[in-house]
Amino acid sequence: MRWIDSLEEAAAEKLPEPLHRYFRQGSAGGISVGEAVAAWSSYRFRPRVLTDVSTVDISTTVLGTPVDLPVLVAPTTMQRQADPDGEAAMSAGVAAANSVLGVSSNAGTTFADIGAAGAAWWLQIYVVKNREVTVRILDAAVAAGARAVVLTADTPVVGRKEDDGPTVWEVIQPGHLLANLVANDYTADDLAKADDLTPDVIGWLGERTGLPVLVKGVLRGDDAKRCVDAGAAGVIVSNHGGRQLDGSISTAQALPEVAEALAGTGAEIYVDGGIRRGEHVLAALALGARAVLVGRPALWALSVGSSTGVTRLLRELGAEFEHALRLSGCRRISDLTPDLIAR
Ligand SMILES: Cc1cc2nc3c(=O)[nH]c(=O)nc-3n(C[C@H](O)[C@H](O)[C@H](O)COP(=O)(O)O)c2cc1C
């Protein structure tokens, strides 16, 4: 069996069931999470022949940071429940693969420790009802060297999970979330997600941090354009791994519309959700993404193999992508164009 495909089951042997379920699950009826991988696999390629692919290059830059491969790690929570070193181990694993790490604003490790573990990282932010609390997280991330702010825009409220059994909240150990806020310095109300956000928040985040802002959770071309017009450096096409509005279209389906809407703007487009194979990366980049992010595979790899598991995951996805690139008749990422995909 392919190692990447074995990870979810291997993680089940190590993790408490409520945590494994939390990583795996989608919201509500699980429609979007269930469709994500198949949507990427449904693309068909039109490879070129008789091109010289003796030398290929899969390196690129993401918001100006050089990376060895166009596969980044998406921001996720509960990493210290999966591995004692949590986000620090994730960071070390990402650094060894020379990729970029998305760090959840709910992280259970301090931003300083995550940065010290080596990876170039982007702060994912949930803007919460108490903007003072949001500012504390932003300032801590800037001080610890975050290179960008990823505004998660698809979460005015947290998507409903239909749990059958005890939830992860009943097993989580104290201190494994929100390590970047002073304990007892906020209330549950302070931390409720802001549900009144408009594109103005993009400018506010950029001014407060001095960092480029990506908007995560975009599934429509018109929204992508609104974000970029409001100052975003780019967007992450995402349905939050099928954990927000269930029945949202797959990111494989949404990406072409977003790429069309942002053509010529210079904005960078990223995509996540269901990307599990090098061929999925090939399709995403041909359709206009600059790089992809993986969420659950990185959590499984962390659970099973700590930092070396994360490095292996990224390297294997990179190697698969390189192989697919060669087979497509392309030598570098900039050779990938939408005509590689059959209409
Ligand atoms: C367990 C788990 C926790 C997550 N936590 C966050 C989070 O804190 N912030 C966020 O913006 N997205 C979060 N996400 C969504 C991921 O960033 C990403 O969009 C998604 O996992 C990509 O889909 P994939 O898991 O199929 O690769 C989470 C996803 C999972 C599975």
Side-chain angles (χ1 to χ4, degrees):
M1 190 190 209
R2 180 171 168 262
W3 178 75
I4 295 173
D5 292 332
S6 74
L7 288 173
E8 179 175 338
E9 211 176 302
E13 285 171 22
K14 291 204 156 184
L15 302 177
E17 192 280 330
L19 181 66
H20 189 268
R21 175 168 17 104
Y22 176 76
F23 285 172
R24 198 189 56 230
Q25 71 190 161
S27 56
I31 292 168
S32 294
V33 70
E35 289 177 350
V37 178
W40 288 110
S41 297
S42 72
Y43 279 120
R44 295 294 171 268
F45 297 110
R46 302 171 62 237
R48 292 193 176 84
V49 296
L50 301 179
T51 63
D52 176 357
V53 291
S54 52
T55 321
V56 295
D57 179 9
I58 63 163
S59 67
T60 185
T61 60
V62 291
L63 296 175
T65 298
V67 287
D68 283 358
L69 73 173
V71 183
L72 321 180
V73 170
T76 57
T77 42
M78 302 276 180
Q79 295 180 13
R80 287 188 62 202
Q81 290 289 115
D83 178 277
D85 294 328
E87 290 85 356
M90 189 72 96
S91 172
V94 170
N98 200 26
S99 177
V100 161
L101 172 64
V103 171
S104 170
S105 51
N106 295 334
T109 307
T110 63
F111 297 141
D113 285 348
I114 296 170
W121 61 284
W122 296 344
L123 171 75
Q124 174 271 324
I125 191 81
Y126 287 121
V127 174
V128 291
K129 287 208 165 141
N130 185 332
R131 298 295 199 275
E132 283 303 310
V133 172
T134 307
V135 162
R136 276 182 239 155
I137 296 175
L138 292 172
D139 290 355
V142 171
R147 298 195 186 192
V149 176
V150 173
L151 166 68
T152 298
D154 58 13
T155 310
V157 290
V158 177
R160 190 183 79 251
K161 314 290 186 318
E162 296 179 357
D163 279 293
D164 188 14
T167 69
V168 73
W169 308 107
E170 294 165 56
V171 300
I172 185 168
Q173 291 169 41
H176 280 189
L177 271 187
L178 293 169
N180 293 283
L181 289 174
V182 177
N184 303 323
D185 213 14
Y186 52 84
T187 65
D189 264 3
D190 288 337
L191 288 185
K193 311 288 189 258
D195 55 8
D196 58 353
L197 299 180
T198 67
D200 292 344
V201 71
I202 297 167
W204 177 72
L205 287 169
E207 273 162 35
R208 180 77 210 183
T209 62
L211 297 174
V213 179
L214 292 177
V215 181
K216 175 171 183 276
V218 172
L219 290 170
R220 302 170 50 114
D222 53 2
D223 270 355
K225 190 72 177 33
R226 281 205 305 148
C227 293
V228 170
D229 288 346
V235 299
I236 303 179
V237 176
S238 174
N239 63 20
H240 212 120
R243 293 162 81 88
Q244 284 302 109
L245 178 63
D246 193 27
S248 293
I249 62 172
S250 67
T251 54
Q253 230 183 323
L255 176 61
E257 176 186 324
V258 170
E260 195 184 335
L262 295 186
T265 64
E268 297 192 0
I269 303 171
Y270 298 89
V271 65
D272 73 20
I275 290 165
R276 303 291 181 265
R277 291 184 165 275
E279 292 78 8
H280 299 165
V281 183
L282 186 76
L285 270 56
L287 291 168
R290 189 166 187 93
V292 304
L293 299 90
V294 289
R296 293 179 184 84
L299 287 171
W300 304 136
L302 179 73
S303 308
V304 169
S306 195
S307 61
T308 52
V310 173
T311 306
R312 179 172 174 191
L313 170 76
L314 292 171
R315 289 201 177 133
E316 290 199 6
L317 285 172
E320 283 188 9
F321 169 63
E322 183 181 311
H323 179 75
L325 189 70
R326 272 207 167 88
L327 287 175
S328 77
C330 296
R331 281 162 58 157
R332 58 184 82 80
I333 289 171
S334 57
D335 294 341
L336 294 171
T337 46
D339 58 279
L340 186 66
I341 308 286
R343 291 265 159 204

